[in-house]
Amino acid sequence: MVFHEVLRIMYLVQIITGVLGNSFVIFLYSFKLSTGHKTKPIIIFLIHFLFTNIIFLLFRGIPKIIDVWEFNYFVDFTTSKIISYLQRVSRGLSLCSSCLLSVFQAITISPRSPIWVEVKARVPKYVLPCCLLCWIFNLLVDIVVPVYGTGLRNRTHSKERWQIGFKALDLYPTKTVMFLVWKFVYDSAFVVLMAISSGYMIFVLYRHHQQVQNIQISSVSHKSSPEVRATKTILLLATTSLSFNLMSSMFMIYMTFTKVASPVMIHVSGLLSLCFPTLSPFILLNSDFQITRFSCIH
């Protein structure tokens, strides 16, 4: 079947490209961090963001590859619970780290008022605690996945079960629907926060552009500052993340309320969810002049 062959190639290309791309950019940022005079919070957030992308690609993509390539595998009930649990956690981590990155940059470019100056001074102290809380929250929120998941006797999809990893969620019990709705609300909170911070960054950039136009400056000063370039990059990442997450969620919402787990919709939703972690390292490479220059030299 042509659709099945296309799925095989697309999943394989996404996983290999995404893992290698994120790993390469992590190496470049780590080198930049080790050779810098001081630790920059934005780089730590970016490394954490790229690392969660790798985790998501592996736990989300490998079960899909095993499924569509029809490899012979044996996973016991306990192992299937753990894998499915980590798969859901990794998705939450990817979304949460994108939100942290967007909020941090919004604070960074905020006006130089006394309140914001104090907040900016405290932000570097909370970088690692924020990353740690991101992990703790997602590990706790998705603990119900092993509880309501059921083992798959075979690898066929049914209209009553929605496969996640090596397990399936029965769409008919009320508890399962409640969990899916709660998970949607939880993810939506990060999406809304990311949208607000992105909108705020757009407002600040627009105001900055207006100020530049009203001031007589030399041609050299027309170049964007590193802060503005970083903001545009984070804004592009946030917009891309919002777009792919919303498109992927539309299929999940439809399957939840219609109680029909269509194999085509499941695979389309899976491919869309893998697009952002696959593309994000290349967005960073294309937008960050210093990293691009370093990669060309070395």
Side-chain angles (χ1 to χ4, degrees):
M1 186 176 178
V2 178
F3 178 71
H4 201 66
E5 294 298 325
V6 172
L7 280 178
R8 290 181 174 182
I9 296 172
M10 291 185 70
Y11 276 125
L12 198 59
V13 170
Q14 279 187 315
I15 301 305
I16 294 175
T17 305
V19 171
L20 291 178
N22 282 279
S23 301
F24 179 66
V25 180
I26 286 177
F27 166 74
L28 295 180
Y29 275 126
S30 300
F31 182 85
K32 186 177 180 180
L33 191 64
S34 63
T35 56
H37 297 289
K38 60 180 180 178
T39 301
K40 294 183 178 181
I42 186 65
I43 297 181
I44 297 177
F45 274 122
L46 283 169
I47 291 175
H48 176 258
F49 163 72
L50 293 166
F51 179 69
T52 57
N53 280 348
I54 294 175
I55 294 176
F56 178 65
L57 285 166
L58 292 176
F59 283 110
R60 176 77 170 178
I62 290 178
K64 291 291 185 182
I65 288 178
I66 292 175
D67 185 28
V68 298
W69 283 82
E70 299 179 349
F71 292 133
N72 293 322
Y73 66 91
F74 174 77
V75 178
D76 58 38
F77 188 66
T78 303
T79 305
S80 68
K81 281 188 174 184
I82 295 173
I83 292 175
S84 300
Y85 169 64
L86 293 176
Q87 185 185 56
R88 299 301 301 174
V89 170
S90 63
R91 184 183 185 277
L93 281 171
S94 180
L95 182 60
C96 185
S97 59
S98 301
C99 181
L100 282 176
L101 195 59
S102 181
V103 170
F104 170 78
Q105 191 60 27
I107 294 174
T108 302
I109 66 170
S110 58
R112 298 182 182 276
S113 62
I115 298 177
W116 284 114
V117 169
E118 185 178 353
V119 172
K120 290 180 183 180
R122 293 183 178 182
V123 163
K125 300 177 183 178
Y126 296 106
V127 173
L128 294 178
C130 284
C131 294
L132 181 61
L133 285 175
C134 179
W135 283 78
I136 293 174
F137 283 148
N138 285 281
L139 287 170
L140 292 176
V141 166
D142 289 305
I143 197 68
V144 294
V145 172
V147 177
Y148 295 121
T150 59
L152 291 175
R153 295 182 179 179
N154 52 54
R155 290 183 290 183
T156 58
H157 297 279
S158 68
K159 293 183 178 180
E160 297 82 17
R161 289 188 174 187
W162 176 6
Q163 185 175 347
I164 52 172
F166 296 105
K167 293 169 62 60
L169 286 176
D170 196 333
L171 294 175
Y172 278 99
T174 305
K175 290 182 178 180
T176 302
V177 176
M178 289 176 62
F179 159 69
L180 292 173
V181 172
W182 155 244
K183 183 62 178 175
F184 172 74
V185 172
Y186 176 79
D187 291 346
S188 298
F190 289 110
V191 170
V192 170
L193 188 57
M194 198 188 311
I196 292 173
S197 59
S198 299
Y200 177 74
M201 285 190 286
I202 292 173
F203 169 74
V204 173
L205 287 177
Y206 175 77
R207 189 173 60 179
H208 172 77
H209 179 70
Q210 293 294 107
Q211 290 174 349
V212 169
Q213 284 187 333
N214 294 332
I215 300 174
Q216 296 296 328
I217 54 178
S218 62
S219 59
V220 177
S221 299
H222 279 286
K223 294 181 179 179
S224 299
S225 65
E227 192 176 78
V228 172
R229 291 201 303 269
T231 302
K232 291 180 179 179
T233 302
I234 303 303
L235 189 58
L236 180 59
L237 285 173
T239 305
T240 308
S241 176
L242 287 171
S243 301
F244 283 115
N245 272 289
L246 287 174
M247 287 189 291
S248 177
S249 297
M250 287 173 60
F251 292 97
M252 293 189 289
I253 294 170
Y254 176 81
M255 288 186 291
T256 300
F257 288 100
T258 60
K259 301 185 186 299
V260 176
S262 168
V264 176
M265 287 189 178
I266 290 173
H267 283 302
V268 172
S269 177
L271 289 170
L272 288 172
S273 66
L274 291 172
C275 283
F276 174 66
T278 301
L279 295 174
S280 54
F282 300 99
I283 293 175
L284 289 170
L285 276 175
N286 184 61
S287 303
D288 195 315
F289 173 73
Q290 291 181 347
I291 289 184
T292 306
R293 183 177 60 181
F294 172 84
S295 60
C296 289
I297 293 175
H298 294 275

